[in-house]
Amino acid sequence: MKNLAYTMFVVMLFGISLLNAQTKNKEGDFSFDLELGLDFTSYFEEGAFDGQKQFYPGLFARPKFTYDWDKGKNNIIFEGFARWDANGDSRTHWDVRELYYQYYNGNWEFNAGVKRIFWGKTEGVHLVDVINQIDFLEGIDGEEKLGQPMVQVSYTSDIGTFSAFALPYTRTLEFGNESGRLRPEKIPTDDQISFESGSEEWHPSFAVRWSHYIGDADVGMHYFYGNAREPLVVFDESGFGLEYPVVHQVGIDYQHIVESALFKLESVYRGGDFEDIFAITGGVEYTFGNVNGKGLDVGVLGEYVYDNRRELTFSSLDNDLFIASRLEFNNVAGTELLFGVFQDLSKSTKSIRLEYSQRLGESFKIEVTGQGFLNVDNREFISQFQQDSFFEIGIIKYF
């Protein structure tokens, strides 16, 4: 029922956008792009839970179109995502990532529809990125986000950009089905997903943000009120459940360039009747440019993460150090590589991350992702994934 309500809401927004385009159209421009992909995910160990397999092939598609008129002042932007999983539909899902109407008028910008907003500066974890829900089926690192219904108004001035967001609906985490990997032992049913607010997912949320470039520094501050995107984990006689509290959150993100070094910081305080959270992450990335005389840039970065929830964090990043290296070859193929390690400073938990991408010719791209879980402390949430270290390779065709 929740998915049906959300689908009807998106269809309504789409109809309004098309009607607005039809009434205002004056020789508009239309563009369409499509990404089709085939990926293979291989897990190094047998699954911890019944029904899980070690090899998961899948297909995915990302259609995109834009339509603009009146010299680009009016725009309709759409991006969809759909995945088909070959093993019991464990990751099969679709999502409207973006479908919104956009209007520019001088320093003002207006957006209405489904959109993705990214806030943040650090690499290891994005504490301030509070608007959109994580697409957990596409990865636990939080990089993929679900579309969020919203109305957004922004004003750009000499003292920064001011943005306000009205968010009428809350998306919840999805864990797939029993045959999937990277899932908890017991997948919460609809009866085990609850909200503090009686309006449940329709409880309105609001956010405001200020961001500005000050010399070589990029700084942002925000305030958010509404349903938390990250639920509380609750345990009772029926097992594992999730509850979404109503929260107030304030946060800051900061980035400062000093020659070849990039200093980064994110911090949030989130409070409510059921939460009192302080978290901070920060560090530095230093880039050695053109080390081989052929354009190779080598970046080394270190970041620290603290979260006062300790073992109750979804990410299990509560007192952790992230050390990584980033290679950018600056070649025609756009080859990039990131390898990093999270080490918990108070427990044995260690996590390894690998990301690699490179274009193949003019219309293909290869992407490789790896994730390893080592010596995971049983008190942490990701202990349920400690047998789910994996290696994934994907081939993407661009049309």
Side-chain angles (χ1 to χ4, degrees):
M1 183 62 69
K2 292 180 179 179
N3 288 336
L4 176 60
Y6 175 71
T7 301
M8 292 177 64
F9 185 71
V10 170
V11 170
M12 179 188 70
L13 288 174
F14 183 56
I16 293 173
S17 297
L18 287 181
L19 178 60
N20 189 72
Q22 186 67 28
T23 56
K24 293 187 176 181
N25 178 28
K26 296 180 180 179
E27 298 183 357
D29 293 320
F30 177 84
S31 66
F32 177 80
D33 297 289
L34 176 64
E35 299 176 20
L36 293 179
L38 172 66
D39 56 21
F40 305 89
T41 307
S42 179
Y43 291 86
F44 300 136
E45 300 181 66
E46 293 185 357
F49 311 125
D50 292 339
Q52 294 182 322
K53 302 179 181 181
Q54 284 188 257
F55 184 63
Y56 289 75
L59 299 171
F60 61 90
R62 295 189 184 98
K64 305 176 183 179
F65 76 72
T66 61
Y67 184 71
D68 68 83
W69 66 99
D70 195 14
K71 298 181 180 181
K73 289 185 177 180
N74 295 275
N75 302 269
I76 293 176
I77 295 97
F78 167 79
E79 180 178 342
F81 179 82
R83 171 179 290 281
W84 174 78
D85 187 272
N87 285 337
D89 292 341
S90 62
R91 294 173 68 193
T92 298
H93 67 295
W94 68 272
D95 183 49
V96 176
R97 296 295 202 225
E98 295 191 316
L99 176 57
Y100 62 96
Y101 166 72
Q102 182 180 73
Y103 175 69
Y104 289 106
N105 186 1
N107 294 339
W108 291 91
E109 178 184 335
F110 173 82
N111 298 273
V114 176
K115 192 178 179 184
R116 288 181 298 178
I117 300 294
F118 175 77
W119 297 341
K121 303 294 189 295
T122 55
E123 182 73 37
V125 63
H126 306 305
L127 297 177
V128 301
D129 199 17
V130 69
I131 296 293
N132 294 78
Q133 180 61 266
I134 295 171
D135 188 344
F136 203 80
L137 297 177
E138 289 301 307
I140 66 170
D141 58 6
E143 297 295 333
E144 285 288 338
K145 299 284 188 173
L146 299 175
Q148 169 64 49
M150 69 176 67
V151 174
Q152 174 193 357
V153 178
S154 298
Y155 177 75
T156 301
S157 70
D158 292 338
I159 59 172
T161 299
F162 300 84
S163 300
F165 303 82
L167 313 166
Y169 185 86
T170 302
R171 310 285 301 276
T172 57
L173 284 171
E174 299 289 342
F175 293 98
N177 61 22
E178 299 293 337
S179 64
R181 301 292 292 256
L182 291 168
R183 66 164 177 83
E185 180 178 4
K186 298 294 183 181
I187 298 176
T189 64
D190 287 344
D191 293 338
Q192 294 171 310
I193 298 176
S194 59
F195 292 81
E196 178 186 350
S197 169
S199 300
E200 298 187 335
E201 66 268 41
W202 291 102
H203 180 79
S205 301
F206 305 94
V208 291
R209 175 175 167 83
W210 168 81
S211 60
H212 193 39
Y213 289 93
I214 305 174
D216 293 326
D218 179 6
V219 60
M221 300 178 65
H222 76 268
Y223 168 75
F224 171 89
Y225 165 79
N227 287 332
R229 272 42 181 170
E230 184 179 0
L232 299 172
V233 180
V234 293
F235 298 94
D236 54 28
E237 63 278 358
S238 62
F240 169 74
L242 302 176
E243 179 171 348
Y244 291 85
V246 176
V247 298
H248 299 265
Q249 175 174 307
V250 292
I252 183 171
D253 51 280
Y254 181 82
Q255 180 173 283
H256 194 174
I257 301 174
V258 181
E259 296 182 347
S260 296
L262 192 60
F263 295 88
K264 308 175 184 182
L265 174 73
E266 294 185 29
S267 183
V268 296
Y269 170 75
R270 185 160 70 239
D273 291 342
F274 299 97
E275 286 192 328
D276 187 16
I277 298 170
F278 171 75
I280 186 170
T281 181
V284 60
E285 178 173 359
Y286 188 89
T287 300
F288 299 90
N290 196 23
V291 297
N292 63 350
K294 297 181 180 180
L296 173 63
D297 294 339
V298 178
V300 291
L301 65 96
E303 295 176 356
Y304 172 71
V305 187
Y306 170 78
D307 191 313
N308 68 352
R309 288 174 293 176
R310 311 301 296 187
E311 292 84 6
L312 296 180
T313 60
F314 248 79
S315 66
S316 296
L317 299 176
D318 61 326
N319 182 29
D320 293 69
L321 185 65
F322 179 58
I323 302 295
S325 179
R326 188 197 319 273
L327 305 182
E328 297 184 353
F329 290 79
N330 295 307
N331 55 10
V332 175
T335 306
E336 296 183 359
L337 172 68
L338 174 73
F339 180 79
V341 178
F342 290 92
Q343 176 62 61
D344 195 302
L345 299 181
S346 54
K347 297 182 286 294
S348 61
T349 304
K350 181 180 295 182
S351 178
I352 299 173
R353 179 185 299 176
L354 170 69
E355 299 174 2
Y356 171 83
S357 66
Q358 176 179 321
R359 288 193 299 272
L360 303 174
E362 295 183 356
S363 61
F364 285 90
K365 185 179 184 181
I366 182 171
E367 293 184 343
V368 177
T369 305
Q371 184 80 45
F373 304 98
L374 306 174
N375 302 320
V376 180
D377 191 290
N378 288 330
R379 292 171 293 175
E380 299 194 294
F381 180 76
I382 64 168
S383 65
Q384 300 176 87
F385 312 146
Q386 58 186 320
Q387 293 181 214
D388 289 337
S389 298
F390 70 89
F391 182 81
E392 180 177 274
I393 182 169
I395 303 294
I396 303 172
K397 167 65 174 176
Y398 293 90
F399 297 90

